[in-house]
Amino acid sequence: MSQGAGALLRQLVSEGVSPWLSARDPAEFATGARYPTLGGHFHNALAPAGSTPSQARRACDLLMPVFEASKGTVGHVSVPVPPRWAHDAEALAAAARALHGAVERPNALMRMPMTPAGVEALAGCLADGVGVHAALVFSAERYAEVLDAYVAGLERSLASGRPLDGAPMVASFPVGLFDREVAARLDRLGVPADDEVRGAAGVAVARRMYRLREERLSGDWWRVLRANGALQPRLLWGAGADGGVGALVGWNTALALSVETLETAAREPALTGDTLLNADAEAACALRALERLGVHAGEVAAVLEVAELTRLRHGRRAVRTGSVPASDPGTGFASAPAAEQP
């Protein structure tokens, strides 16, 4: 890792952004899962599709000092739950519990796609003290459901006498993936390459999610849960391969980065501070501009959810046959071959 990349990571941390290591495949993850990459430079990790419980356990152990020093705020490893039960809440929650038991580390988060069934399973896992990475959240509307499920799970956990700090949650939005889908639609519409709407969609949705979280966590009931040990849920952004890191800076957020993407971002202009707080009006304007061109964020979110679930199933089949595809660095989930990109 270059000096510039290391300096960028330190600056992100100073801005309240927790860096997550994202690897494309289990071999790259195994190479990166060593100090100082994990624990020194990166404070969390996304285990890619095909990773074994033992690989996840080693990464958890490397990050345990960070986890303990931060009292569970950071130091997590996101481990993917098999996607075959993405539309079966009960089976998905059972699979997450079983995987959590196999990894057997308190800083392991079970990564589940946030289908409607995934949202239901999220509440059940948190109620049982199982931390969750709510993945593939493509809209502010779905994120609102995730936050509702987070509170519901903590309420159940509190009622059963469980410590609330034992069930953290992070929710992720693959900004780069969203922008690629929007760019493809703009290309088909013949929108010029230098039009200001390009590259604005993903950040706009991220800003809406950030604002929504700030509103939800300002209520009296959240303060009750917080007083009983609940950890504030983080938002995790998946940056695109071409960088754009400087547009995703906000307090108590996180950023998933491959080493390649980090090096690209280190060559960009220096960070200019928080870009998410009080930026929801600007986000609304950007999304309206896209709608006038015929690109609707809700439609993009629906298409991506179906496409990514298809990729998940494709990835699991490849794991079983011994040919693991590369993971999207913004999600940690297996991607389909290039020809199947949306």
Side-chain angles (χ1 to χ4, degrees), residues 51-52 62 94 119 122 132 158 174 196 202 216 226 231 268 272 275 291 293 299 312 326 336:
S51 301
T52 64
L62 272 171
V119 172
L122 163 67
V132 176
L158 183 63
E196 63 181 9
R216 292 293 182 89
R226 188 74 181 93
L231 298 173
E268 295 176 354
T272 57
T275 61
E291 288 177 358
L293 292 171
E299 293 176 2
L312 285 177

Side-chain angles (χ1 to χ4, degrees), residues 260-317:
E260 270 185 350
T261 302
L262 175 63
E263 293 290 354
T264 298
R267 295 190 291 271
E268 295 176 354
L271 302 184
T272 57
D274 196 311
T275 61
L276 302 175
L277 184 65
N278 297 325
D280 48 303
E282 184 179 346
C285 288
L287 293 175
R288 283 196 297 270
L290 284 167
E291 288 177 358
R292 288 193 291 270
L293 292 171
V295 178
H296 298 269
E299 293 176 2
V300 173
V303 166
L304 284 175
E305 181 176 307
V306 173
E308 288 306 295
L309 286 174
T310 299
R311 291 182 188 182
L312 285 177
R313 290 189 287 269
H314 172 94
R316 292 300 297 184
R317 286 196 299 271

